[in-house]
Amino acid sequence: MSLLWKITIGFVAGIVFGFAVGPLVPGSPVLSEYVMPFLNMIGNVFLKLLKMLIVPLVFASLVAGAASLGDVKKLGRIGVKTLVLYMATTAVAIVIGLLMGNIINAGGGMNIPAGLQAATKEAKPLLEVIADIFPSNPLESMVQANMLQIIIFALFFGGACVMAGEKGRKVADFFENVAEVMYSVTHIVMSLAPYGIFALIALTAAKFGPSILAPFAKVIAAVYLGCIIHAALVYSGMIAVFCKRSPMWYFKGIQEAAITAFVTRSSAGVLPITLSNVRENFGVSEGISSFVLPLGATINMDGTALYQGVCALFVAQAFNIPLTFQMQLGIVVTATLASVGTAGVPGAGLIMLTMVLTSVGLPMEGVALVAGIDAVLDAARTVLNITGDAAVCAVVAASEGETLKGGPAASQA
Ligand code: ASP
């Protein structure tokens, strides 16, 4: 049986179990003194294992990601255009995610007390926040899991790997391999997810009863609506303005890759189809598509970023932690970088969510809340991830004077 099925079964079984035993807990010493504490222990171990992944995984994958940007300089104008579009669309995606999260307010009224981690950080003056982003001792940042400082150091380090030429290339390759190994460690930890998620969701369901079901449906609605809005406004807009083509031309051209992304939940896996769709249906040259799309599959994850915005807000709402404007700004910055460091494989965004939550001081238990429905969310965000790459690819091609294929021009339609 696939892990996805096991996680789904763990999630559903946990909810059913929790609903069933919840009302019995106060009157039953067996449940309250043995069963529930045991579930608590299992859940805690799972959360600790997730935390264990963050620092090495984020550092290694960001160094490798930053080093892969070395080609950007080589490609000059095209590289800069691609990068600017990728970053800008990602930032807009998170803002849409945060807006959807604020409007739909999926976690409102859940009032879950945060256990593992002291919640809110004190708000500091903005200038101090900016100064705090820079590490004075990178090892100390790692020991304290200070994500922003780790990210900054990783960007310096990855960039320097490019500057250091051949020797730097070797170091970057090493970190790429470390990232790969950390993804294998992630697989091991995720194989325990069905049990961890069963335990955590059973505890929550027992405590809160059926009132927790609606919030999950709302999170799914927020992510799907957000993805649709982002594609309809941002991508269609870019295609109309820069490529002078209709949204139909764009969505029809990329539909094969989009459907495959929805099913496989892996933008890296879909890359060959995205490449062929963009070349054959949009008429983008090989030169541009073979640079823009692989880079996008590695660093451009609008769907993942949007999802992180929605989920961070959901967790804050569920645990009743007020998010200041500064914290939301922090989410925009960390989620943009987290999406750069996210591998294009199923479920990678969930691991990076642990980093976003940690960096703004939100409780890690939130990850367990989201994990049970993550596959449903992953399908939508992967579609947005690859359609975003394709849109940027078409825009860059048009801006370089390439003639795109067919389709009614938006301005004439
Ligand atoms: N599955 C996504 C992708 O491949 C990454 C993620 O989990 O957010 O693009």
Side-chain angles (χ1 to χ4, degrees):
M1 199 193 303
S2 75
L3 179 62
L4 178 60
W5 271 112
K6 287 188 193 158
I7 289 181
T8 311
I9 291 172
F11 182 71
V12 175
I15 290 187
V16 172
F17 179 81
F19 286 169
V21 303
L24 310 175
V25 173
S28 156
V30 176
L31 284 176
S32 63
E33 280 166 40
Y34 297 101
V35 178
M36 293 322 217
F38 179 72
L39 289 179
N40 201 15
M41 187 272 289
I42 301 278
N44 270 346
V45 169
F46 175 60
L47 290 177
K48 283 175 121 177
L49 289 177
L50 276 181
K51 271 193 171 172
M52 172 185 89
L53 302 171
I54 303 177
V55 172
L57 179 65
V58 168
F59 185 70
S61 59
L62 265 181
V63 168
S68 75
L69 293 183
D71 298 340
V72 169
K73 217 167 90 197
K74 250 188 266 154
L75 279 140
R77 199 183 54 224
I78 296 180
V80 171
K81 263 189 222 170
T82 306
L83 212 58
V84 168
L85 282 172
Y86 276 162
M87 291 300 134
T89 48
T90 302
V92 173
I94 306 171
V95 173
I96 292 180
L98 288 174
L99 280 177
M100 295 311 295
N102 274 310
I103 294 169
I104 294 189
N105 191 14
M110 285 177 88
N111 289 322
I112 304 176
L116 262 191
Q117 186 178 331
T120 9
K121 288 178 181 167
E122 282 167 41
K124 286 187 193 161
L126 187 61
L127 292 180
E128 210 174 302
V129 173
I130 294 172
D132 276 354
I133 292 176
F134 296 90
S136 56
N137 177 345
L139 291 183
E140 189 182 311
S141 315
M142 290 185 193
V143 170
Q144 294 174 344
N146 185 323
M147 293 325 301
L148 276 178
Q149 293 186 355
I150 296 174
I151 289 170
I152 293 290
F153 183 62
L155 294 180
F156 272 116
F157 196 90
C161 283
V162 179
M163 292 163 62
E166 188 46 36
K167 286 188 176 140
R169 184 67 257 156
K170 283 188 190 142
V171 176
D173 285 345
F174 169 76
F175 278 104
E176 209 174 314
N177 293 335
V178 172
E180 201 56 45
V181 171
M182 280 313 297
Y183 271 108
S184 297
V185 181
T186 307
H187 280 139
I188 302 174
V189 172
M190 285 312 281
S191 68
L192 304 173
Y195 312 102
I197 286 169
F198 171 84
L200 289 163
I201 206 72
L203 289 168
T204 312
K207 217 182 268 169
F208 299 98
S211 65
I212 58 161
L213 288 181
F216 291 124
K218 284 192 196 162
V219 172
I220 295 175
V223 169
Y224 274 69
L225 273 176
C227 286
I228 292 170
I229 292 173
H230 188 70
L233 290 184
V234 180
Y235 301 156
S236 299
M238 277 163 47
I239 293 287
V241 173
F242 298 104
C243 305
K244 308 267 183 287
R245 293 290 189 280
S246 73
M248 272 315 285
W249 173 86
Y250 162 67
F251 287 118
K252 249 179 107 178
I254 195 66
Q255 81 185 5
E256 236 172 70
I259 292 169
T260 319
F262 189 85
V263 180
T264 61
R265 296 175 291 119
S266 166
S267 35
V270 183
L271 182 60
I273 306 181
T274 320
L275 275 165
S276 98
N277 280 181
V278 164
R279 284 177 194 167
E280 281 160 30
N281 304 339
F282 295 168
V284 176
S285 70
E286 197 172 332
I288 287 188
S289 60
S290 62
F291 164 68
V292 175
L293 290 180
L295 182 69
T298 318
I299 66 158
N300 183 47
M301 309 263 172
D302 292 1
T304 304
L306 187 148
Y307 145 92
Q308 279 163 349
V310 171
C311 288
L313 266 179
F314 168 63
V315 172
Q317 291 155 351
F319 290 87
N320 234 344
I321 299 165
L323 277 187
T324 58
F325 178 72
Q326 248 174 46
M327 284 165 94
Q328 300 212 21
L329 209 62
I331 293 175
V332 175
V333 177
T334 34
T336 305
L337 292 163
S339 70
V340 173
T342 305
V345 296
L350 182 72
I351 306 297
M352 285 299 176
L353 180 64
T354 58
M355 165 186 136
V356 176
L357 295 183
T358 312
S359 72
V360 286
L362 290 170
M364 286 276 297
E365 290 101 315
V367 174
L369 280 185
V370 180
I373 49 168
D374 193 64
V376 182
L377 306 176
D378 198 3
R381 65 183 190 249
T382 308
V383 172
L384 201 68
N385 287 347
I386 64 113
T387 44
D389 299 342
V392 168
C393 189
V395 169
V396 170
S399 75
E400 288 294 307
E402 288 190 4
T403 323
L404 298 177
K405 260 196 188 156
S411 51
Q412 295 154 17

